[in-house]
Amino acid sequence: METRIMGSRKKSVFFSWLISYISILLIPMAISSIVYIESSKIIERETNKANQALLKQTRQAIDASVADIEKLSLQIALNPRVQSLLYAKPPHTSRHHYIRANLVNDFNSYIAPNGIVDNFYVYFNYSDLIITPTSVYSPILLYDTFYKDKGAKYEDWYNLIRSNHRQELQPIVVSEDSKRLAKSIAYMQSLPINNMGNHMATVVISVDERRFRDAIQNIKWMDSSTVVILDDRNNIMGLSGSSDLAFSLSYEKLTDQNGLVNSNIEGQQVIISYISSDVNSWKYVSITPVKVFMEKVEYIKHLTTISMIISMLIGGIVAYVFSKKNYNPLQQIVESLAIGVGASLDDGYNEYKFINDAVFAALSENEKIREKLEQQNKVIKDNFLVKLLKGKHLDILSFEDMQLTFDVHFHSDNFVVSLIYIEDFVKLFDDQNNMS
């Protein structure tokens, strides 16, 4: 009778091996995922470090220029001719005119050819005059010469130079659109320095806008980054990049000396990195959209995804080949056993279970055969002993074989066979009846 072995395809050893091999591929995939996550963090961290380094480079350049401006301001303030003109009131004498002419020459010698200073002058309150490296001006004349075309209002400018200042860098002209973006910057210091409560003059040093702007833009910033120089009045003293991002900054929110802030500006995720100036209250700020370094992260993600897909395809093919190679010998063994035990196989049977069942069935069959043989051996053994007692002729070879087969051993060649014969059984049964 033919036995039919049935099973589910998923239970086949081939699929178990295939899944095991493919599962090994999950290890490099998991490692790739971890590498991707860590790479994202490293890129963000390195981007922030790069921004900090560039900000420090910008701070070093600008602060050095500001330090030069402060030295020039101190040199002007300590000039003896400036000191003598502080208290000069109209009407001016020829001596005053002579001092002013020499002071113009002094100022002209202060001009550095490649510095960040565009121009400078001193406004004297008592005489209401302005002395520059080129000439002596009245306030309205200097305004018409230097500031009118820039959009500055005379009253605002005039009030500014007459006010009290202490080493201040502030905008002379701001953008009409934003009211925050400085278009012309000047350093101001009231005189005398040791008596700020009774100022008699103001040193005004105009910053060269082009060189100041180049000092920021010449730094190799990241694409799409916006760099802002912010003063404590929330004025934007310098800008490179998007003005929309710059106008969203608030000086009050940048509380530490330096730091890193994640923010959302007009629906755009940005990272704000900032450091403080060493010579004044300015903040140097870099605004970098997250998408800038996310482009690199996305590239790594894309590369990782492609490598995973390729690994899965190649790994899957290799896993199938090796699984098939290892499975074929086992399949041959199973088919041989199936023929031996007279069983038919369905697709998807479990080979190990089949081998186990086949071996168990063979062992059970052998046990049954052994029990039958033992029963037959007992009958043959009894028949052998009967023949032996009756003295029937036995071949010497068969006798020895029988001894070995039935485990019959004689310890001596001398023995007696006694036969008891009962002639009448009737009396035995009568005695039993009487006793009952």
Side-chain angles (χ1 to χ4, degrees):
M1 179 179 179
E2 186 182 70
T3 304
R4 191 170 187 81
I5 306 296
M6 301 180 65
S8 171
R9 179 173 294 276
K10 294 181 180 178
K11 293 181 179 180
S12 175
V13 173
F14 173 77
F15 291 101
S16 299
W17 287 349
L18 184 61
I19 292 172
S20 299
Y21 287 140
I22 292 177
S23 298
I24 297 175
L25 296 175
L26 296 177
I27 297 175
M29 291 180 65
I31 294 175
S32 298
S33 300
I34 295 173
V35 169
Y36 163 70
I37 294 172
E38 289 301 317
S39 298
S40 303
K41 294 179 180 178
I42 290 172
I43 290 174
E44 182 176 355
R45 186 163 56 248
E46 292 302 315
T47 301
N48 294 331
K49 284 183 179 179
N51 280 339
Q52 284 281 328
L54 293 173
L55 284 175
K56 290 178 180 178
Q57 188 176 347
T58 304
R59 179 181 65 182
Q60 183 179 5
I62 299 297
D63 282 3
S65 298
V66 172
D68 291 340
I69 292 174
E70 290 179 348
K71 291 178 182 177
L72 175 61
S73 172
L74 183 61
Q75 187 177 12
I76 295 171
L78 297 178
N79 187 297
R81 294 186 176 91
V82 172
Q83 296 292 325
S84 64
L85 290 177
L86 290 178
Y87 305 95
K89 298 180 180 180
H92 296 138
T93 65
S94 59
R95 176 177 173 273
H96 291 145
H97 292 292
Y98 177 76
I99 293 174
R100 287 200 296 264
N102 286 320
L103 186 57
V104 170
N105 293 329
D106 290 344
F107 284 175
N108 188 53
S109 66
Y110 294 166
I111 298 175
N114 297 317
I116 200 172
V117 175
D118 179 42
N119 192 14
F120 65 88
Y121 53 89
V122 179
Y123 170 75
F124 294 93
N125 291 13
Y126 287 162
S127 59
D128 197 32
L129 290 175
I130 297 175
I131 299 178
T132 74
T134 58
S135 184
V136 178
Y137 292 84
S138 65
I140 188 64
L141 180 59
L142 187 132
Y143 166 78
D144 290 338
T145 304
F146 294 103
Y147 295 108
K148 186 176 183 179
D149 293 340
K150 294 181 179 180
K153 294 181 179 179
Y154 176 75
E155 293 78 10
D156 295 338
W157 170 77
Y158 186 62
N159 291 331
L160 186 63
I161 62 176
R162 288 181 61 84
S163 302
N164 193 10
H165 303 280
R166 183 180 181 85
Q167 295 181 330
E168 296 178 4
L169 268 163
Q170 58 179 301
I172 299 294
V173 183
V174 295
S175 172
E176 289 293 331
D177 297 332
S178 65
K179 301 299 182 182
R180 290 182 62 190
L181 180 59
K183 295 176 64 178
S184 178
I185 303 172
Y187 177 92
M188 297 185 180
Q189 172 66 54
S190 296
L191 301 179
I193 296 176
N194 56 359
N195 188 11
M196 298 293 295
N198 184 27
H199 68 280
M200 303 174 184
T202 303
V203 178
V204 181
I205 302 176
S206 298
V207 175
D208 189 320
E209 299 173 31
R210 181 182 58 82
R211 290 179 179 174
F212 186 77
R213 184 173 57 253
D214 291 345
I216 303 173
Q217 295 179 346
N218 287 342
I219 304 296
K220 294 183 179 179
W221 300 97
M222 294 182 61
D223 295 338
S224 302
S225 289
T226 297
V227 183
V228 184
I229 300 177
L230 201 65
D231 72 359
D232 55 359
R233 297 183 181 88
N234 268 324
N235 292 314
I236 298 174
M237 309 301 286
L239 172 64
S240 174
S242 171
S243 58
D244 292 336
L245 294 177
F247 294 150
S248 65
L249 289 176
S250 174
Y251 186 92
E252 291 75 17
K253 293 182 180 180
L254 309 178
T255 55
D256 298 328
Q257 283 294 106
N258 56 76
L260 197 68
V261 179
N262 291 304
S263 183
N264 187 300
I265 299 177
E266 298 181 355
Q268 184 178 9
Q269 291 293 329
V270 297
I271 295 179
I272 300 174
S273 179
Y274 67 93
I275 60 174
S276 300
S277 171
D278 292 331
V279 297
N280 54 31
S281 60
W282 287 1
K283 299 281 187 182
Y284 297 90
V285 186
S286 168
I287 307 174
T288 304
V290 173
K291 66 179 182 181
V292 171
F293 59 83
M294 281 304 296
E295 291 176 357
K296 299 179 181 178
V297 174
E298 287 298 323
Y299 173 75
I300 294 176
K301 180 181 179 180
H302 181 68
L303 195 62
T304 303
T305 302
I306 292 176
S307 64
M308 282 183 176
I309 294 173
I310 294 174
S311 297
M312 284 297 295
L313 290 175
I314 296 176
I317 294 172
V318 173
Y320 179 83
V321 171
F322 277 96
S323 297
K324 194 68 176 176
K325 181 179 179 181
N326 293 331
Y327 176 72
N328 287 337
L330 180 64
Q331 186 180 31
Q332 293 175 2
I333 293 172
V334 170
E335 290 175 352
S336 299
L337 283 175
I339 294 173
V341 299
S344 62
L345 303 173
D346 284 345
D347 291 339
Y349 58 88
N350 186 277
E351 291 78 3
Y352 285 138
K353 186 176 185 302
F354 171 76
I355 292 174
N356 181 73
D357 293 343
V359 171
F360 181 78
L363 292 175
S364 299
E365 187 67 24
N366 288 339
E367 182 65 20
K368 291 179 182 178
I369 293 173
R370 188 184 64 79
E371 290 176 355
K372 289 181 180 180
L373 287 176
E374 287 181 354
Q375 291 176 359
Q376 292 177 0
N377 285 344
K378 186 176 181 181
V379 174
I380 295 173
K381 179 179 179 181
D382 292 342
N383 187 37
F384 166 71
L385 292 174
V386 170
K387 287 182 180 181
L388 185 61
L389 291 174
K390 288 182 178 182
K392 291 185 177 181
H393 175 72
L394 293 173
D395 192 341
I396 296 299
L397 293 176
S398 63
F399 178 75
E400 292 179 353
D401 291 339
M402 288 296 182
Q403 280 185 307
L404 295 174
T405 302
F406 302 123
D407 195 23
V408 176
H409 301 284
F410 297 99
H411 300 287
S412 174
D413 293 336
N414 300 319
F415 54 87
V416 176
V417 177
S418 299
L419 297 177
I420 300 174
Y421 178 74
I422 301 175
E423 293 183 354
D424 188 6
F425 292 94
V426 176
K427 291 183 179 182
L428 179 61
F429 291 114
D430 288 342
D431 291 338
Q432 290 179 351
N433 292 328
N434 292 332
M435 291 178 62
S436 62

